[in-house]
Amino acid sequence: MTTSTAAIRLAIVDDSQVVRMGLKDLSITRSSVKWGVPVPGDEKQTIYVWFDALLNYLTAVGYTGDEARFTAHWPADLHIMGKDILRFHAVFWPAFLMAAGLPLPKKEMICGWWLKDGKKMSKSVGNVLDPLVLLKYFPADAVRYFMLREAPLESDANFSHEGFLSRVNTDLANDWANLVSRTGGMIEKYFANVLPGEYPQVERDREIRRGYEELERKAFEWFDLCQFPRGLEEIIAYVGTLNRYIVQMEPWKLAKNEADRPRLAAVLNTLARAILSVNTLLSLVLPETSRKVAGMFGIPLGPTGWLDPHGPLNVSPTGPLFPRVEAATFFADTPMEEPMNEPTAIPTPTPAPAPAPVVLAAEPLPEGLIDIDTFKKVKLVAARVAAAERVEKADRLLKLTVDLGHETRTVVAGIAQYYTPEELVGKTIVIVANLKPAKLRGILSQGMILAASDESNRPYLPILPPETPLGAGLK
């Protein structure tokens, strides 16, 4: 039996010493434990839980009851366990199997704990997660993706609602779902949902296929090592490549000229085949979503590899795969848990305050509405893009230098997948000028670009006429 490198790093020193010091007989009964399986012939004794519980691994796959099923499923290819039960699974369990003449699991993966906001989860403390809150806003696929994407094998993983929302909105809603939605929407718009099967390729198209083949090799290397975060990172990076391919090929411009229709078909065919291929990789983590994507292209979910179906593709665009959830909505349902079993402090008496003057309360506004004073707090101004560049190692970010007439500012915007630096320079846009500055990738962003967005969260920048005075306020 072998263990992963992480198992060695996470192994508790005391457990390894148990083996090095020599193994001794282990009692599998207890007289001090009243609950448990009674020992036949001696009801004062019960079976040690770490003996009878481990046997469930065998009986669950047919041991002594279904020999064919047991032979098909045992020994386990990979045995997964937490670091705090390493001794029972890596010392006791192999001994039990060897004594019974049964084969050992082929490989063991020892993983860390899931922490909540940096602390070990505890019912007594109360920092536990309610999965039903997550499932109210997100499909189970999103939760599964986050757990695998954020759990390094070498250490504990941390769950925070902020991190969960950011990861799902970024990787799944903005990157993957948006790519599928945009491609399906263009096939619907430009080819009435039927994409021709014949298309002339150029070298850039062939690069997309070679990129996928390299991605698949890397992803499976990481998955075989149980390094799921690294494998998923490679997949999402390739999805970013496909989104940039759309920006580079500009299919919306190709659609304007009838002579460019074959090239348009080639671009969309390349995208469709790349999406179907990535979809098979993601089916390991997003099974329900992957079935929807395959059904959208009329292709059954099949084995991995570059999928290149012959003939036309009949595409039926679906709704958003991962609708973007706004933080205000999500966090309204995820209050901080109150610590349990904490002593209640006795409040110190304080003098009664003086009576406050009577103020008549204003009539409450209908839900979803704001008053004019609240709106006036947001300062929207015209600004010209003086310079633009991509942010290093950040596929979605552009660093813009904007001129407000009386000053120049730096603004970081997550629009690099949809706008190139060259097409923005010289344009007059709208920014929120009184937003608190924030650092993004080490760059101080002094405002926010105003943009519209569709269901897939694709941004559309309103471009003002060039004669608009810089710094002019929008009202």
Side-chain angles (χ1 to χ4, degrees), residues 180-181 184 292-293 295-296 315-321 455:
V180 175
S181 176
K292 291 181 182 179
V293 173
M296 169 182 165
V315 182
S316 303
T318 183
L321 299 173
E455 289 183 346

Side-chain angles (χ1 to χ4, degrees), residues 378-381 383-385 387-388 396-402 404 409-416 419 424 427-435 440 445-453 459-463:
V378 181
K379 187 178 180 182
L380 302 174
V381 302
R384 181 168 298 133
V385 180
R396 290 177 290 274
L397 299 182
L398 289 182
K399 175 184 174 183
L400 307 179
T401 301
V402 295
L404 280 66
R409 294 190 185 184
T410 297
V411 176
V412 178
I415 57 174
Y419 293 92
L424 289 178
K427 297 293 192 297
T428 303
I429 60 175
V430 180
I431 72 165
V432 181
N434 60 339
L435 191 68
L440 298 173
S445 181
Q446 301 166 296
M448 178 181 289
I449 291 178
L450 189 69
S453 63
Y460 298 88
L461 299 186
I463 305 298

Side-chain angles (χ1 to χ4, degrees), residues 39-43:
V39 175
D42 188 351
E43 295 186 356

Side-chain angles (χ1 to χ4, degrees), residues 255-318:
K256 295 178 180 179
N257 190 342
E258 187 63 30
D260 290 328
R261 297 283 292 180
R263 181 70 197 127
L264 176 63
V267 169
L268 295 181
N269 266 292
T270 299
L271 284 168
R273 281 150 176 76
I275 287 171
L276 287 170
S277 303
V278 171
N279 192 51
T280 60
L281 283 181
L282 285 175
S283 67
L284 305 172
V285 181
L286 308 175
E288 294 299 324
T289 305
S290 294
R291 279 190 281 271
K292 291 181 182 179
V293 173
M296 169 182 165
F297 287 92
I299 301 296
L301 191 60
T304 56
W306 179 261
L307 298 186
D308 194 5
H310 298 289
L313 279 177
N314 293 285
V315 182
S316 303
T318 183

Side-chain angles (χ1 to χ4, degrees), residues 71-355:
T71 302
H73 291 89
W74 192 266
D77 291 319
L78 179 65
H79 205 174
I80 304 172
M81 72 197 73
K83 64 181 181 181
D84 52 339
I85 51 175
L86 177 59
R87 178 180 301 184
F88 309 104
H89 287 82
V91 180
F92 296 172
W93 181 226
F96 300 159
L97 291 170
M98 293 168 69
L102 295 172
L104 308 184
K106 298 177 183 178
K107 190 174 183 179
E108 292 189 353
M109 184 182 85
I110 293 85
C111 54
W113 292 323
W114 268 99
L115 308 178
K116 174 67 171 69
D117 296 325
K119 299 179 181 179
K120 186 178 179 183
M121 295 188 202
S122 167
K123 289 186 292 185
S124 60
V125 174
N127 64 334
V128 293
L129 285 169
D130 184 352
L132 297 181
V133 173
L134 302 180
L135 295 176
K136 178 178 178 180
Y137 294 100
F138 300 94
D141 277 2
V143 180
R144 184 184 296 107
Y145 177 85
F146 178 82
M147 302 293 275
L148 289 171
R149 179 67 178 83
E150 295 292 326
L153 193 58
E154 302 85 356
S155 60
D156 295 333
N158 183 59
F159 184 98
S160 71
H161 287 94
E162 294 89 345
F164 174 81
L165 184 66
S166 175
R167 176 63 67 191
V168 173
N169 276 344
T170 299
D171 288 8
L172 299 183
N174 290 3
D175 291 357
W176 176 236
N178 185 50
L179 172 67
V180 175
S181 176
R182 293 175 74 191
T183 303
M186 287 188 288
I187 295 173
E188 177 184 29
K189 181 177 181 179
Y190 303 139
F191 291 97
N193 291 334
V194 181
L195 190 60
E198 297 296 327
Y199 54 96
Q201 288 186 305
V202 298
E203 179 59 21
R204 183 69 182 98
D205 306 332
R206 289 187 282 270
E207 286 177 2
I208 294 295
R209 175 169 182 166
R210 290 195 296 269
Y212 172 78
E213 291 166 348
E214 178 65 10
L215 161 69
E216 188 174 285
R217 183 188 66 79
K218 289 181 179 179
F220 278 122
E221 282 183 357
W222 288 121
F223 289 163
D224 287 344
L225 293 172
C226 300
Q227 292 282 6
F228 302 108
R230 300 295 299 273
L232 292 173
E233 183 181 7
E234 295 282 357
I235 293 174
I236 294 301
Y238 180 75
V239 169
T241 297
L242 298 180
N243 277 309
R244 288 192 297 276
Y245 173 77
I246 294 177
V247 174
Q248 294 162 356
M249 296 299 105
E250 300 181 317
W252 47 88
K253 290 186 178 180
L254 297 174
K256 295 178 180 179
N257 190 342
E258 187 63 30
D260 290 328
R261 297 283 292 180
R263 181 70 197 127
L264 176 63
V267 169
L268 295 181
N269 266 292
T270 299
L271 284 168
R273 281 150 176 76
I275 287 171
L276 287 170
S277 303
V278 171
N279 192 51
T280 60
L281 283 181
L282 285 175
S283 67
L284 305 172
V285 181
L286 308 175
E288 294 299 324
T289 305
S290 294
R291 279 190 281 271
K292 291 181 182 179
V293 173
M296 169 182 165
F297 287 92
I299 301 296
L301 191 60
T304 56
W306 179 261
L307 298 186
D308 194 5
H310 298 289
L313 279 177
N314 293 285
V315 182
S316 303
T318 183
L321 299 173
F322 293 97
R324 184 179 176 84
V325 178
E326 296 302 326
T329 303
F330 181 59
F331 288 118
D333 238 353
T334 55
M336 295 296 293
E337 296 87 349
E338 291 295 328
M340 301 171 63
N341 298 336
E342 293 288 339
T344 302
I346 300 176
T348 303
T350 56

Side-chain angles (χ1 to χ4, degrees), residues 57-77 102-103 106:
Y57 293 126
L58 302 178
T59 56
V61 293
Y63 182 60
T64 73
D66 187 339
E67 192 63 29
R69 183 165 176 250
F70 179 68
T71 302
H73 291 89
W74 192 266
D77 291 319
L102 295 172
K106 298 177 183 178

